Amino acid sequence: MTERRIRVLIAKPGLDGHDRGAKVIARALRDAGMDVIYTGLRQTPEMIAEAALQEDVDVIGLSILSGAHMALAPRLLELLRANGQGEVPVLIGGIIPGEDVPALKAAGIAEAFGPGTSTEAVVAAVRQAAARKWAKE
Amino acid sequence: MTEGDLAAVRAGDRRALARLLTQVENQTPAAEAALAALFPHTGRAHLIGVTGAPGTGKSSLVAELAKVLRRQGESVAIVAVDPTSPFTGGAILGDRIRMRDLAGDPGVFIRSMASRGALGGLARTTADAVQVLDAAGFNRVIVETVGAGQSEVEIARTAQTVLVVEAPGLGDEVQGIKAGILEIADVLVVNKADLPGAETALRALRASLEIGHSAARRDTAAGWTPPIVATVAVHGQGLEELAGALDRHRDHLRASGADNARERARLAGDLESRLRGALYQRLLAQLEPGQFAQTVDKLQLRELDPAGAVRQLLEAAGPLS
Ligand SMILES: Nc1nc2c(ncn2[C@@H]2O[C@H](COP(=O)(O)OP(=O)(O)OP(=O)(O)O)[C@@H](O)[C@H]2O)c(=O)[nH]1
Ligand SMILES: [Mg+2]
């Protein structure tokens, strides 16, 4: 037996072409000892759900800067449930206005981070989300 | 892992497959049991290893190769191995970035793996993951690893056909050749043939192949000269030719009986390393607690020499129970 690592998928849905933030988060999670699957720009919810399934990830982190989070996030959750992966927590970062957070959480998003969230906070949230998922296995 | 889970894996259930791969990666008892149960169903897939220096275009090439194979009706599993950071134990697995065109194809399954602590670039568990994908019925299982010394030897043992990728402009064409990469290559690719220096790289490879051909993998040296294929992965150029070369190599292995010889060598090597590991564990279990560390203390104080330490520990352990 080897120690189980957290497998986290960092995905960048939507059409905007900036992935600097996503890469910073990916590196921070790597530095926290996680296996980070990074899939690059312009991922559709279908692509993200498929990658999450094949990679059997513990957590999904979405970086959304396009403002399309209210459409993309619920769609992804729906696909995950259809795949039998409804238990995989989804976290969102990017430019999420505070007033959207309650609706996102109501839709099933585990955590939504506004701009300026520290990488430490994101790392801690991913750890907690993975721990909660493992506890239910 | 229930029997139902195993049946699901063999029937192509992607979720069951993905979960088993996680067990395999963590080397759990469930994985060991599953691998034992699946073993009779392995040995069918064409196992292709892809290695080469960082950034030569391996992932791009694997994606394009998978597309060609899919057009031929073959199902394809890809294991993409990236290095674990020795400092943090984490890894960024980014090979999927280049494989986005394969998304949505039910005949393709991609799994990223970190090399973890394994020597070289091949995760210790990669070979087990390949076995699972083979048993799951994929026609081709492609393993991408960063070429770094030891991993090349490991991949040569796991794969039936080893593809070594070079690219111009990395300034290491010659170094790659020196590192003995030709000895494990069944097919050589000069990718990024659109870039200046491709011709030079091709010529250098051809020349060293002529000199070094006697060093080609012993078991297939007879009758097989590694072909050199020029590709432009980002434009899908040269991929049909590459797929043809891989098929010819597989046919050659079969016709010459080298596939059996290779498989035997692989199974023997695997058995040997498992025996080594198991014996070591047993031996440790038969020592007094702390005896190993105390022996190391003595070595450090120069009260004991390494060979003497081995004799002493073997004696102390007594016959294996
Ligand atoms: N010009 C040119 N660029 C290419 C070609 N193939 C790949 N690239 C580019 O080379 C870079 C590296 O490609 P990858 O496919 O990620 O290379 P890799 O060998 O898998 O890299 P690692 O997994 O990091 O070792 C990317 O920017 C590709 O777009 C090619 O045929 N021509
Ligand atoms: Mg790669």
Side-chain angles (χ1 to χ4, degrees):
Chain A
M1 284 268 280
T2 54
E3 192 199 338
R4 184 171 178 185
R5 307 266 161 89
I6 296 173
R7 288 177 71 79
V8 50
L9 175 69
I10 296 298
K12 185 79 197 60
L15 297 177
D16 67 282
H18 307 284
D19 64 350
R20 187 141 33 97
K23 282 182 174 160
V24 168
I25 293 299
R27 270 192 291 264
L29 296 168
R30 189 249 342 248
D31 292 345
M34 303 180 198
D35 284 353
V36 185
I37 294 120
Y38 183 62
T39 50
L41 291 169
R42 297 190 186 86
Q43 300 281 303
T44 63
E46 284 76 9
M47 291 163 111
I48 297 168
E50 186 188 7
L53 180 86
Q54 294 177 3
E55 301 287 358
D56 189 29
V57 295
D58 300 308
V59 180
I60 300 173
L62 300 180
S63 163
I64 309 184
L65 301 172
S66 62
H69 47 274
M70 296 307 281
L72 292 169
R75 173 78 186 131
L76 174 63
L77 292 170
E78 191 183 310
L79 290 165
L80 289 173
R81 280 193 288 268
N83 273 350
Q85 289 214 295
E87 77 287 359
V88 179
V90 179
L91 284 59
I92 304 192
I95 40 168
I96 313 293
E99 66 260 29
D100 287 348
V101 173
L104 287 168
K105 289 206 167 172
I109 293 294
E111 211 66 71
F113 302 106
T117 309
S118 71
T119 54
E120 289 81 7
V122 176
V123 168
V126 170
R127 275 224 179 90
Q128 279 158 22
R132 279 197 301 275
K133 175 173 173 277
W134 288 359
K136 280 186 240 152
E137 281 175 6
Chain B
M1 278 281 143
T2 64
E3 252 169 57
D5 293 332
L6 286 182
V9 168
R10 293 204 52 224
D13 178 331
R14 296 157 87 79
R15 183 153 160 271
L17 174 59
R19 291 192 167 175
L20 176 54
L21 289 172
T22 305
Q23 299 282 332
V24 163
E25 190 162 35
N26 293 315
Q27 296 178 289
T28 64
E32 199 179 312
L35 284 163
L38 292 175
F39 185 71
H41 307 290
T42 60
R44 291 177 199 162
H46 182 200
L47 311 182
I48 302 167
V50 178
T51 190
T56 45
K58 297 177 294 297
S59 300
S60 313
L61 203 66
V62 166
E64 292 303 314
L65 178 62
K67 284 194 213 166
V68 173
L69 294 171
R70 289 295 297 137
R71 283 200 290 277
Q72 297 171 357
E74 302 277 277
S75 58
V76 181
I78 298 167
V79 180
V81 184
D82 274 320
T84 290
S85 156
F87 304 108
T88 65
I92 293 188
L93 313 174
D95 295 312
R96 289 187 88 100
I97 298 172
R98 313 276 168 225
M99 302 184 186
R100 55 174 286 141
D101 287 1
L102 301 175
D105 183 341
V108 175
F109 189 97
I110 306 169
R111 180 70 174 220
S112 312
M113 288 180 95
S115 62
R116 302 258 173 125
L119 252 173
L122 203 58
R124 195 174 304 132
T125 46
T126 305
D128 288 341
V130 167
Q131 296 271 296
V132 168
L133 293 162
D134 181 353
F138 289 96
N139 302 129
R140 315 275 183 143
V141 181
I142 308 178
V143 181
E144 174 190 340
T145 56
V146 169
Q150 184 61 23
S151 69
E152 287 149 15
V153 182
E154 288 173 45
I155 202 172
R157 200 173 286 148
T158 301
Q160 291 160 331
T161 301
V162 176
L163 200 158
V164 172
V165 186
E166 304 268 340
L170 294 171
D172 68 344
E173 291 92 348
V174 179
Q175 202 193 335
I177 292 162
K178 263 197 215 141
I181 210 154
L182 286 184
E183 287 161 43
I184 62 148
D186 298 307
V187 176
L188 283 154
V189 175
V190 173
N191 187 41
K192 308 197 186 186
D194 55 321
L195 295 184
E199 266 309 315
T200 317
L202 277 168
R203 263 201 305 277
L205 266 185
R206 269 189 213 112
S208 46
L209 205 57
E210 271 159 33
I211 304 162
H213 183 49
S214 55
R217 294 174 76 174
R218 273 162 318 195
D219 53 351
T220 49
W224 182 261
T225 307
I228 305 174
V229 184
T231 59
V232 184
V234 285
H235 300 144
Q237 282 167 24
L239 269 300
E240 304 273 348
E241 195 188 337
L242 178 56
L246 296 175
D247 284 348
R248 274 199 307 287
H249 182 256
R250 179 172 63 173
D251 294 345
H252 171 79
L253 286 181
R254 283 191 187 147
S256 64
D259 55 348
N260 283 325
R262 257 183 206 200
E263 178 170 56
R264 219 185 140 71
R266 180 176 61 76
L267 291 169
D270 181 55
L271 181 60
E272 190 185 313
S273 74
R274 281 172 196 275
L275 266 176
R276 246 184 243 275
L279 281 175
Y280 176 65
Q281 289 307 330
R282 269 210 197 177
L283 185 99
L284 278 190
Q286 288 182 208
L287 293 175
E288 298 295 326
Q291 202 170 358
F292 186 90
Q294 285 155 19
T295 308
V296 178
D297 292 343
K298 284 188 196 154
L299 287 174
Q300 206 165 13
L301 292 168
R302 301 296 185 275
E303 286 173 9
L304 195 60
D305 65 287
V310 169
R311 273 196 305 277
Q312 223 178 58
L313 288 180
L314 281 177
E315 240 164 66
L320 286 174
S321 57

